[in-house]
Amino acid sequence: MRNIQLFSTDTDDGVVSVVAKTGPGEHRTVKQISVGNAPRGGVKFTKDGRGFVCNTSQNTISEIDAVALEEVRRIEVGHGPRGQGLLPGDKYLLVSNSGSNTISVVDLELNVQVHEIATGRDPRHMGINAAGTVAYVCVWGDGYVSKLDISSLADGSPEGITELAQIPVDREAHPYSLAIDPSGRKVFVANTQAPYVTVIDVESDETHRVDVGSNGGRAVAFTDDGRLALVTVENTSSVAVIDVATLTVTRQIPVGSGPRGLVVDPQDETAYITNFARAGMMSGHPGFGPNTLTMVDLGSAPLDRDEGEFTYKEIFVGYGPCSVTMFDLDTLPVEERARRLDRAGSDA
């Protein structure tokens, strides 16, 4: 039996819905964790199960416990936090503040913001390379990706962070989120107001465009082998599949209405997509309603060509689900899980 948990960030409800996955196709909603107003972005988890989510309307991030399934604390950051990046080693968390045009550096040992870095207008979601030396931040309002040298954090020096480059996308494209491919050589950027995904060559900072057929790019994930990128396209209620090597779209997967968040379980090749659209906003295929997770069995049809139909399931979560992430409880020792459950019970 597996102990996978899916965490859906439900903006309109101010909660994070927790869905337990005990096996392929076996899911149940176990809790809704109350956090701050208008939570946005996926929950970022440390290896020991500390989760962090942005409260956009309260200028805080909430820490939640993946074992006890409760909010632990709130940490003040800049105005309008939306995106996060967790550094290797779990000591520092970067938070993009869309309202104050800054990046907060949060020390997760002290549980406090220790530095704030100016950016362009309205920074959104970000990605950090595996070495923890470079961060890429979507600057939504100014149409570029900010490339930051964050190597000074390894020495405990947040003040040493510098901007290496402003990689142009397009001012009208509004880059929203991004992900670094498993090889570490390419950055895939989803644009909300352009019908293409921007791909950045890590070594040269050169960019390429991949036509996905419509505006509304929201989230990026990859298959476990790293050969394919998956991008949610909100306006067409679909997931575009992109060949990482050739930068061509191999097919479009119909999903629920207004897809935004996306995560892939590598063990059984299931993709989980949040359906954000409010009732009546837009229709998706195969007809799943809003406020759900669409589950797509990626192995049920070819991904490299438009052939066959996928197997789907759905599960309801809270209102306005914008992002989804996954945490494996089996990565924690049984004794640690028991200790935290006991602590949660004594605090109740």
Side-chain angles (χ1 to χ4, degrees):
M1 179 181 292
R2 301 180 67 196
N3 281 297
I4 299 295
Q5 292 176 325
L6 297 152
F7 291 78
S8 172
T9 305
D10 303 331
T11 299
D12 295 354
D13 269 348
V15 302
V16 174
S17 293
V18 185
V19 175
K21 176 178 183 175
T22 55
E26 299 173 3
H27 304 84
R28 61 187 178 90
T29 301
V30 293
K31 187 152 186 192
Q32 290 189 321
I33 306 169
S34 294
V35 290
N37 289 343
R40 295 271 185 174
V43 182
K44 297 294 184 182
F45 284 101
T46 63
K47 289 184 174 58
D48 59 358
R50 298 175 69 192
F52 299 90
V53 66
C54 294
N55 300 315
T56 303
S57 297
Q58 286 188 324
N59 308 327
T60 62
I61 56 172
S62 287
E63 178 182 340
I64 61 177
D65 188 319
V67 178
L69 300 183
E70 62 183 15
E71 184 183 47
V72 176
R73 64 173 57 85
R74 295 183 189 177
I75 301 171
E76 293 185 4
V77 289
H79 295 286
R82 284 182 180 263
Q84 302 176 105
L86 184 64
L87 269 76
D90 296 342
K91 177 173 171 55
Y92 291 107
L93 180 75
L94 302 184
V95 182
S96 59
N97 303 308
S98 61
S100 54
N101 302 329
T102 59
I103 302 292
S104 293
V105 182
V106 177
D107 186 316
L108 296 182
E109 294 177 357
L110 301 176
N111 297 318
V112 67
Q113 174 182 295
V114 293
H115 190 52
E116 203 164 358
I117 307 147
T119 67
R121 185 166 58 91
D122 201 346
R124 296 294 179 99
H125 302 288
M126 69 179 76
I128 295 174
N129 68 353
T133 56
V134 175
Y136 295 88
V137 183
C138 289
V139 182
W140 189 87
D142 284 330
Y144 67 84
V145 171
S146 178
K147 182 179 181 180
L148 301 176
D149 180 350
I150 58 173
S151 58
S152 67
L153 290 175
D155 300 322
S157 301
E159 298 82 3
I161 295 174
T162 59
E163 186 174 60
L164 296 170
Q166 295 180 359
I167 304 171
V169 176
D170 189 302
R171 193 175 187 87
E172 303 304 319
H174 295 302
Y176 181 78
S177 72
L178 56 79
I180 303 169
D181 87 295
S183 75
R185 294 193 290 266
K186 296 175 181 176
V187 180
F188 284 70
V189 184
N191 304 307
T192 60
Q193 300 301 318
Y196 56 82
V197 167
T198 301
V199 182
I200 302 169
D201 182 284
V202 166
E203 189 168 332
S204 66
D205 291 344
E206 292 180 355
T207 61
H208 307 271
R209 292 180 178 180
V210 181
D211 186 356
V212 292
S214 175
N215 295 359
R218 287 288 180 175
V220 183
F222 298 93
T223 53
D224 188 45
D225 58 14
R227 292 191 310 108
L228 300 171
L230 308 176
V231 182
T232 51
V233 184
E234 186 174 27
N235 290 17
T236 55
S237 296
S238 63
V239 173
V241 183
I242 301 172
D243 186 300
V244 171
T246 64
L247 298 183
T248 56
V249 174
T250 59
R251 76 174 301 171
Q252 301 274 0
I253 304 174
V255 291
S257 55
R260 290 199 176 183
L262 169 65
V263 69
V264 178
D265 183 346
Q267 290 199 30
D268 61 10
E269 293 187 296
T270 301
Y272 296 86
I273 302 101
T274 58
N275 299 316
F276 180 81
R278 280 77 168 185
M281 280 181 61
M282 58 186 70
S283 61
H285 180 80
F288 295 143
N291 310 315
T292 61
L293 292 180
T294 295
M295 310 172 198
V296 184
D297 180 356
L298 298 178
S300 59
L303 293 172
D304 59 355
R305 60 190 182 277
D306 190 9
E307 177 182 301
E309 295 186 359
F310 290 93
T311 301
Y312 299 88
K313 289 188 178 181
E314 73 171 342
I315 188 167
F316 283 90
V317 286
Y319 287 94
C322 70
S323 300
V324 60
T325 52
M326 189 170 66
F327 185 76
D328 186 351
L329 283 172
D330 287 336
T331 61
L332 299 177
V334 174
E335 298 81 4
E336 173 65 10
R337 278 185 270 166
R339 183 187 68 81
R340 285 158 69 171
L341 286 172
D342 289 341
R343 184 184 65 191
S346 64
D347 291 342

